[in-house]
Amino acid sequence: MSDSRRPRVLIVNAYVDPWRSAAPMRLFIPRAMAPYYLAGRFCRDRTDVRVHDEVNHGALLDPRLFEWPDLVVLSGLTAAFDRARQLAACFRHARPGVAIAIGGPIARALPGLCATVFDYVCQGDVESLDDLIDDALGAGRRAEDPGPRFDLVGWSYGLGFVETTRNCNFSCAFCSLTGENRPYRSYSSDEISRQFRAMGRVQMLMVLDNNLYGSNRADFERRVDLIGAHWRRGDFRGWGALVTGDFFKNPDNLARVAANGCKALFSGVESFDPVVLKSFNKRQSLSSDPATLARLCAEHGVLFDYGMMLDFGQQTVAEVDGQIDTLLASTDTPLPALLSLTIPILGTPYFDEAARAGRLMPNLRLSDLDGQKLVEWPKEPLERVVPYVADLLRFRGRKTALLRHAVRHAWSRRSSFDVTQSMISLLGPLVRYGGSLRVGSIRQIRQSWREPRRTYCAMSDPPSVAYRPPRHLPERFARDFEPLYVTDGAGRLTEELQAATAGNR
């Protein structure tokens, strides 16, 4: 790269929307922050850096952006491998000679396959980008004092983001972090403070840790006290974080975070069935009753949110339906912030066990593993389960009950929450399950109209229109728009996938 021109770098979070929309998903919180941490590794004075997040900005369809970069850095969840490959083809056609790198979960799950598609494969954390920068752009393009580029985030509803730890100290069978087997570690106070300086003042702070609590109580207290010091200084009005179920076993933990400005906590309850939790190796959540935890949090002025996964391989429609009806009838219990089907994420113990047991459906694409369609054989006949899933994920037939619950739950917490918390409590479930209008560019809206109707079952769900190569692409790029299949017609792992993952673990 010539020293006479600043190299142009585009960092892309690849994503294919399971709800069949190419428009931006502006209300999805938390936003993907990895691209902005990656952007901070580049020297501001000697590179031009942009970020495109296909969740927050919508599908990347602008031909001018495909022609712009000298270096593209792609990231995303494992299921976005196909999308990353499609984007690489578009960039290479628009700008021959562009260097394309892949990192994050995709690179760690499929390093060998990625090496045949992309120019650089980064399997490490954000720091591993430094060697790539030197090789692709030349010396002097790295930041001397790296820090996240929060200035590139744009408007984010007054939210700021920091990270105080990496990875998780638990090994849930379904979690990609378990498959990657990377150690849990916390940041030093200096590292955390550097992020605060980059963030500046915001309305609310989200701590992006996979598990704020961790395995060292003294270190947890250090990090919470540091966040609290910034809160008392007026850098933000309050903050939220994700914690594991063991956090709530010591009442002092809740009191400590509340005293340091915490306004919201999220915990992965996942299932109300202890048998299901044990099968997930999620014993830390065996005592995580959302009604009890929500009440305890409210007593400290903290909003409680949680995730719920539905496993129709272990539960019947009647059992799941009864749980949902119980939630809707309970004013004290919030509805889950996340409602998903179980996802056998590639590289996890859960995926390996599902493959060995023959639970994976035939002709399964990697991109099908999005949590919004059946990908495993259910306990009951498909003709009973699939229509139920289609209705439940859209709360069809339950809209009135949804509205009634949201209003009553928010009203019941009015004495515990401030105005912002009350609005989140009221509007959160309505936005999640009530449906919302998403508006994007003309290209994004046109692509959304072309999307085939969802069937909520991987065996019948047609691929996204993103798999159709744009008309202007030469035939040599057609291979880049073919899906990576996880299983063959008999439900066995494909030879291509086995070759791609051989030796990973």
Side-chain angles (χ1 to χ4, degrees), residues 254-299:
L254 193 51
R256 190 177 198 97
V257 297
N260 280 281
C262 181
K263 300 296 183 180
L265 289 174
F266 178 96
S267 189
V269 172
E270 315 303 8
S271 177
F272 302 151
D273 188 335
V275 174
V276 174
L277 288 173
K278 289 177 182 178
S279 73
F280 293 161
N281 192 34
K282 199 170 179 65
R283 298 175 185 273
Q284 69 271 23
S285 294
L286 286 173
S287 59
S288 295
D289 168 47
T292 302
L293 297 186
R295 185 175 63 254
L296 288 173
C297 286
E299 291 173 357

Short mmCIF file of all heavy atoms in Angstrom, two decimals, residues 254-299:
data_model
loop_
_atom_site.label_atom_id
_atom_site.label_comp_id
_atom_site.label_asym_id
_atom_site.label_seq_id
_atom_site.Cartn_x
_atom_site.Cartn_y
_atom_site.Cartn_z
N LEU A 254 -26.65 -8.45 44.49
CA LEU A 254 -27.69 -7.58 43.96
C LEU A 254 -27.64 -6.21 44.63
O LEU A 254 -27.77 -5.17 43.97
CB LEU A 254 -29.06 -8.22 44.15
CG LEU A 254 -30.25 -7.62 43.40
CD1 LEU A 254 -29.94 -7.46 41.92
CD2 LEU A 254 -31.47 -8.49 43.60
N ALA A 255 -27.43 -6.21 45.94
CA ALA A 255 -27.33 -4.93 46.66
C ALA A 255 -26.14 -4.13 46.18
O ALA A 255 -26.22 -2.89 46.06
CB ALA A 255 -27.23 -5.20 48.16
N ARG A 256 -25.05 -4.80 45.88
CA ARG A 256 -23.83 -4.09 45.48
C ARG A 256 -23.99 -3.44 44.11
O ARG A 256 -23.62 -2.27 43.92
CB ARG A 256 -22.64 -5.04 45.47
CG ARG A 256 -21.31 -4.31 45.30
CD ARG A 256 -20.11 -5.22 45.36
NE ARG A 256 -18.90 -4.45 45.62
CZ ARG A 256 -18.34 -4.28 46.80
NH1 ARG A 256 -18.91 -4.81 47.87
NH2 ARG A 256 -17.23 -3.57 46.94
N VAL A 257 -24.54 -4.18 43.14
CA VAL A 257 -24.68 -3.58 41.82
C VAL A 257 -25.70 -2.44 41.85
O VAL A 257 -25.51 -1.41 41.18
CB VAL A 257 -25.06 -4.63 40.75
CG1 VAL A 257 -23.96 -5.68 40.61
CG2 VAL A 257 -26.40 -5.29 41.03
N ALA A 258 -26.77 -2.60 42.63
CA ALA A 258 -27.78 -1.54 42.72
C ALA A 258 -27.18 -0.27 43.33
O ALA A 258 -27.47 0.84 42.87
CB ALA A 258 -28.96 -2.01 43.55
N ALA A 259 -26.32 -0.45 44.33
CA ALA A 259 -25.69 0.71 44.97
C ALA A 259 -24.72 1.41 44.04
O ALA A 259 -24.35 2.57 44.27
CB ALA A 259 -24.97 0.26 46.25
N ASN A 260 -24.32 0.73 42.99
CA ASN A 260 -23.37 1.30 42.03
C ASN A 260 -24.04 1.68 40.71
O ASN A 260 -23.37 1.80 39.69
CB ASN A 260 -22.21 0.34 41.79
CG ASN A 260 -21.18 0.38 42.90
OD1 ASN A 260 -20.35 1.29 42.94
ND2 ASN A 260 -21.24 -0.58 43.80
N GLY A 261 -25.37 1.86 40.74
CA GLY A 261 -26.06 2.42 39.59
C GLY A 261 -26.67 1.44 38.62
O GLY A 261 -27.18 1.85 37.57
N CYS A 262 -26.67 0.14 38.95
CA CYS A 262 -27.26 -0.84 38.03
C CYS A 262 -28.77 -0.67 37.97
O CYS A 262 -29.45 -0.58 38.99
CB CYS A 262 -26.91 -2.26 38.48
SG CYS A 262 -27.57 -3.55 37.40
N LYS A 263 -29.31 -0.65 36.75
CA LYS A 263 -30.75 -0.48 36.54
C LYS A 263 -31.40 -1.68 35.87
O LYS A 263 -32.64 -1.78 35.86
CB LYS A 263 -31.02 0.77 35.69
CG LYS A 263 -30.52 2.08 36.29
CD LYS A 263 -31.26 2.41 37.59
CE LYS A 263 -30.80 3.75 38.14
NZ LYS A 263 -31.50 4.09 39.41
N ALA A 264 -30.61 -2.59 35.31
CA ALA A 264 -31.19 -3.74 34.61
C ALA A 264 -30.20 -4.90 34.59
O ALA A 264 -28.99 -4.69 34.44
CB ALA A 264 -31.57 -3.36 33.18
N LEU A 265 -30.74 -6.10 34.75
CA LEU A 265 -29.93 -7.32 34.66
C LEU A 265 -30.62 -8.32 33.74
O LEU A 265 -31.84 -8.46 33.76
CB LEU A 265 -29.73 -7.96 36.04
CG LEU A 265 -28.81 -7.23 37.01
CD1 LEU A 265 -28.84 -7.90 38.37
CD2 LEU A 265 -27.37 -7.17 36.47
N PHE A 266 -29.82 -9.00 32.95
CA PHE A 266 -30.32 -10.07 32.09
C PHE A 266 -29.66 -11.37 32.53
O PHE A 266 -28.46 -11.40 32.81
CB PHE A 266 -29.98 -9.79 30.62
CG PHE A 266 -30.42 -10.88 29.68
CD1 PHE A 266 -31.64 -10.79 29.01
CD2 PHE A 266 -29.63 -11.99 29.46
CE1 PHE A 266 -32.05 -11.80 28.14
CE2 PHE A 266 -30.03 -13.00 28.59
CZ PHE A 266 -31.24 -12.91 27.94
N SER A 267 -30.43 -12.45 32.60
CA SER A 267 -29.88 -13.75 32.95
C SER A 267 -30.52 -14.82 32.07
O SER A 267 -31.72 -14.76 31.78
CB SER A 267 -30.14 -14.06 34.43
OG SER A 267 -29.43 -15.22 34.83
N GLY A 268 -29.72 -15.77 31.65
CA GLY A 268 -30.22 -16.82 30.76
C GLY A 268 -30.95 -17.91 31.51
O GLY A 268 -30.40 -18.98 31.77
N VAL A 269 -32.19 -17.67 31.86
CA VAL A 269 -33.00 -18.71 32.53
C VAL A 269 -33.12 -19.91 31.61
O VAL A 269 -33.01 -21.06 32.04
CB VAL A 269 -34.39 -18.15 32.90
CG1 VAL A 269 -35.30 -19.25 33.41
CG2 VAL A 269 -34.24 -17.04 33.95
N GLU A 270 -33.40 -19.68 30.34
CA GLU A 270 -33.46 -20.65 29.25
C GLU A 270 -34.66 -21.60 29.29
O GLU A 270 -35.34 -21.78 28.30
CB GLU A 270 -32.16 -21.49 29.15
CG GLU A 270 -30.88 -20.70 29.25
CD GLU A 270 -30.73 -19.58 28.23
OE1 GLU A 270 -31.66 -19.27 27.49
OE2 GLU A 270 -29.65 -18.97 28.21
N SER A 271 -34.88 -22.27 30.43
CA SER A 271 -35.99 -23.22 30.50
C SER A 271 -36.51 -23.31 31.93
O SER A 271 -35.75 -23.14 32.89
CB SER A 271 -35.55 -24.61 30.02
OG SER A 271 -36.60 -25.54 30.14
N PHE A 272 -37.82 -23.57 32.06
CA PHE A 272 -38.41 -23.78 33.39
C PHE A 272 -38.35 -25.25 33.79
O PHE A 272 -38.74 -25.61 34.89
CB PHE A 272 -39.87 -23.33 33.39
CG PHE A 272 -40.06 -21.89 33.00
CD1 PHE A 272 -41.22 -21.48 32.38
CD2 PHE A 272 -39.07 -20.95 33.25
CE1 PHE A 272 -41.41 -20.14 32.02
CE2 PHE A 272 -39.24 -19.62 32.90
CZ PHE A 272 -40.41 -19.22 32.27
N ASP A 273 -37.87 -26.10 32.90
CA ASP A 273 -37.83 -27.55 33.12
C ASP A 273 -36.43 -27.96 33.58
O ASP A 273 -35.46 -27.83 32.82
CB ASP A 273 -38.20 -28.28 31.83
CG ASP A 273 -38.37 -29.78 32.02
OD1 ASP A 273 -37.78 -30.33 32.97
OD2 ASP A 273 -39.10 -30.40 31.22
N PRO A 274 -36.26 -28.45 34.82
CA PRO A 274 -34.93 -28.82 35.29
C PRO A 274 -34.27 -29.92 34.48
O PRO A 274 -33.04 -29.96 34.35
CB PRO A 274 -35.18 -29.26 36.74
CG PRO A 274 -36.63 -29.55 36.83
CD PRO A 274 -37.30 -28.65 35.85
N VAL A 275 -35.07 -30.81 33.90
CA VAL A 275 -34.49 -31.87 33.06
C VAL A 275 -33.83 -31.26 31.83
O VAL A 275 -32.73 -31.67 31.42
CB VAL A 275 -35.58 -32.89 32.65
CG1 VAL A 275 -35.02 -33.91 31.67
CG2 VAL A 275 -36.15 -33.59 33.88
N VAL A 276 -34.50 -30.29 31.23
CA VAL A 276 -33.94 -29.62 30.06
C VAL A 276 -32.68 -28.85 30.43
O VAL A 276 -31.67 -28.90 29.72
CB VAL A 276 -34.99 -28.67 29.44
CG1 VAL A 276 -34.37 -27.86 28.30
CG2 VAL A 276 -36.19 -29.45 28.93
N LEU A 277 -32.68 -28.15 31.55
CA LEU A 277 -31.51 -27.40 31.99
C LEU A 277 -30.32 -28.33 32.22
O LEU A 277 -29.19 -27.99 31.84
CB LEU A 277 -31.83 -26.63 33.27
CG LEU A 277 -32.75 -25.41 33.11
CD1 LEU A 277 -33.12 -24.84 34.47
CD2 LEU A 277 -32.10 -24.34 32.24
N LYS A 278 -30.55 -29.47 32.81
CA LYS A 278 -29.46 -30.42 33.04
C LYS A 278 -28.91 -30.95 31.73
O LYS A 278 -27.71 -31.17 31.58
CB LYS A 278 -29.94 -31.56 33.93
CG LYS A 278 -30.19 -31.14 35.38
CD LYS A 278 -30.75 -32.30 36.21
CE LYS A 278 -31.02 -31.85 37.64
NZ LYS A 278 -31.62 -32.94 38.46
N SER A 279 -29.79 -31.14 30.75
CA SER A 279 -29.32 -31.61 29.45
C SER A 279 -28.48 -30.55 28.74
O SER A 279 -27.66 -30.87 27.89
CB SER A 279 -30.51 -32.01 28.56
OG SER A 279 -31.22 -30.86 28.09
N PHE A 280 -28.69 -29.28 29.09
CA PHE A 280 -27.89 -28.18 28.54
C PHE A 280 -26.62 -27.94 29.36
O PHE A 280 -25.84 -27.04 29.02
CB PHE A 280 -28.70 -26.87 28.56
CG PHE A 280 -29.87 -26.84 27.62
CD1 PHE A 280 -30.88 -25.92 27.81
CD2 PHE A 280 -29.97 -27.72 26.55
CE1 PHE A 280 -31.98 -25.86 26.95
CE2 PHE A 280 -31.05 -27.68 25.70
CZ PHE A 280 -32.06 -26.75 25.90
N ASN A 281 -26.41 -28.70 30.43
CA ASN A 281 -25.31 -28.46 31.37
C ASN A 281 -25.39 -27.04 31.92
O ASN A 281 -24.39 -26.35 32.09
CB ASN A 281 -23.94 -28.69 30.71
CG ASN A 281 -22.80 -28.73 31.72
OD1 ASN A 281 -22.99 -29.20 32.85
ND2 ASN A 281 -21.64 -28.24 31.35
N LYS A 282 -26.61 -26.62 32.25
CA LYS A 282 -26.84 -25.27 32.76
C LYS A 282 -27.39 -25.36 34.18
O LYS A 282 -28.45 -24.82 34.50
CB LYS A 282 -27.81 -24.52 31.84
CG LYS A 282 -27.75 -23.01 32.01
CD LYS A 282 -28.53 -22.30 30.93
CE LYS A 282 -28.47 -20.78 31.13
NZ LYS A 282 -27.12 -20.24 30.98
N ARG A 283 -26.64 -26.02 35.04
CA ARG A 283 -27.10 -26.23 36.41
C ARG A 283 -27.11 -24.94 37.22
O ARG A 283 -27.81 -24.87 38.24
CB ARG A 283 -26.19 -27.27 37.09
CG ARG A 283 -26.26 -28.64 36.40
CD ARG A 283 -25.28 -29.64 36.99
NE ARG A 283 -25.30 -30.89 36.23
CZ ARG A 283 -26.13 -31.90 36.46
NH1 ARG A 283 -27.00 -31.81 37.44
NH2 ARG A 283 -26.09 -32.98 35.72
N GLN A 284 -26.37 -23.94 36.79
CA GLN A 284 -26.36 -22.67 37.51
C GLN A 284 -27.70 -21.97 37.43
O GLN A 284 -27.96 -21.02 38.18
CB GLN A 284 -25.26 -21.75 36.98
CG GLN A 284 -25.47 -21.21 35.57
CD GLN A 284 -24.90 -22.11 34.49
OE1 GLN A 284 -24.71 -23.30 34.72
NE2 GLN A 284 -24.60 -21.55 33.34
N SER A 285 -28.60 -22.44 36.53
CA SER A 285 -29.91 -21.81 36.39
C SER A 285 -31.03 -22.65 36.98
O SER A 285 -32.21 -22.30 36.81
CB SER A 285 -30.21 -21.55 34.90
OG SER A 285 -29.32 -20.57 34.38
N LEU A 286 -30.69 -23.74 37.67
CA LEU A 286 -31.73 -24.63 38.19
C LEU A 286 -32.65 -23.92 39.19
O LEU A 286 -33.82 -24.28 39.33
CB LEU A 286 -31.09 -25.86 38.84
CG LEU A 286 -30.51 -26.89 37.87
CD1 LEU A 286 -29.75 -27.97 38.62
CD2 LEU A 286 -31.62 -27.51 37.02
N SER A 287 -32.13 -22.92 39.88
CA SER A 287 -32.96 -22.20 40.86
C SER A 287 -33.38 -20.82 40.34
O SER A 287 -33.82 -19.97 41.12
CB SER A 287 -32.19 -22.05 42.18
OG SER A 287 -30.98 -21.36 41.99
N SER A 288 -33.25 -20.61 39.03
CA SER A 288 -33.55 -19.29 38.45
C SER A 288 -35.02 -19.19 38.07
O SER A 288 -35.38 -19.25 36.88
CB SER A 288 -32.66 -19.03 37.23
OG SER A 288 -31.30 -18.95 37.60
N ASP A 289 -35.87 -19.04 39.05
CA ASP A 289 -37.29 -18.81 38.79
C ASP A 289 -37.47 -17.34 38.44
O ASP A 289 -37.18 -16.46 39.25
CB ASP A 289 -38.11 -19.16 40.04
CG ASP A 289 -39.54 -18.68 39.93
OD1 ASP A 289 -40.15 -18.92 38.87
OD2 ASP A 289 -40.03 -18.05 40.88
N PRO A 290 -37.95 -17.01 37.21
CA PRO A 290 -38.01 -15.61 36.81
C PRO A 290 -38.93 -14.75 37.67
O PRO A 290 -38.67 -13.55 37.85
CB PRO A 290 -38.51 -15.68 35.35
CG PRO A 290 -39.13 -17.03 35.22
CD PRO A 290 -38.38 -17.93 36.15
N ALA A 291 -40.00 -15.34 38.22
CA ALA A 291 -40.89 -14.55 39.08
C ALA A 291 -40.17 -14.11 40.34
O ALA A 291 -40.25 -12.94 40.76
CB ALA A 291 -42.14 -15.36 39.43
N THR A 292 -39.43 -15.04 40.95
CA THR A 292 -38.68 -14.73 42.16
C THR A 292 -37.56 -13.73 41.88
O THR A 292 -37.37 -12.75 42.63
CB THR A 292 -38.10 -16.01 42.78
OG1 THR A 292 -39.15 -16.93 43.07
CG2 THR A 292 -37.33 -15.71 44.05
N LEU A 293 -36.80 -13.97 40.81
CA LEU A 293 -35.68 -13.09 40.49
C LEU A 293 -36.17 -11.69 40.12
O LEU A 293 -35.54 -10.69 40.49
CB LEU A 293 -34.86 -13.69 39.35
CG LEU A 293 -34.19 -15.03 39.64
CD1 LEU A 293 -33.29 -15.45 38.49
CD2 LEU A 293 -33.40 -15.00 40.94
N ALA A 294 -37.29 -11.62 39.39
CA ALA A 294 -37.83 -10.30 39.03
C ALA A 294 -38.25 -9.53 40.27
O ALA A 294 -38.04 -8.31 40.36
CB ALA A 294 -39.02 -10.47 38.08
N ARG A 295 -38.84 -10.22 41.25
CA ARG A 295 -39.26 -9.56 42.48
C ARG A 295 -38.05 -9.09 43.29
O ARG A 295 -38.03 -7.97 43.81
CB ARG A 295 -40.12 -10.52 43.31
CG ARG A 295 -40.71 -9.85 44.56
CD ARG A 295 -41.64 -10.78 45.30
NE ARG A 295 -40.98 -11.98 45.81
CZ ARG A 295 -41.12 -13.19 45.28
NH1 ARG A 295 -41.89 -13.37 44.21
NH2 ARG A 295 -40.48 -14.23 45.79
N LEU A 296 -37.03 -9.93 43.40
CA LEU A 296 -35.82 -9.55 44.13
C LEU A 296 -35.15 -8.34 43.50
O LEU A 296 -34.73 -7.41 44.19
CB LEU A 296 -34.84 -10.73 44.17
CG LEU A 296 -35.22 -11.92 45.06
CD1 LEU A 296 -34.23 -13.06 44.87
CD2 LEU A 296 -35.23 -11.49 46.53
N CYS A 297 -35.06 -8.36 42.19
CA CYS A 297 -34.45 -7.23 41.49
C CYS A 297 -35.26 -5.95 41.70
O CYS A 297 -34.70 -4.87 41.94
CB CYS A 297 -34.32 -7.54 40.00
SG CYS A 297 -33.01 -8.73 39.60
N ALA A 298 -36.58 -6.06 41.59
CA ALA A 298 -37.43 -4.88 41.75
C ALA A 298 -37.28 -4.26 43.14
O ALA A 298 -37.36 -3.04 43.30
CB ALA A 298 -38.89 -5.26 41.49
N GLU A 299 -37.05 -5.09 44.15
CA GLU A 299 -36.84 -4.57 45.50
C GLU A 299 -35.61 -3.67 45.59
O GLU A 299 -35.50 -2.84 46.49
CB GLU A 299 -36.71 -5.74 46.48
CG GLU A 299 -38.02 -6.50 46.68
CD GLU A 299 -37.83 -7.75 47.53
OE1 GLU A 299 -36.67 -8.04 47.91
OE2 GLU A 299 -38.83 -8.46 47.80
#
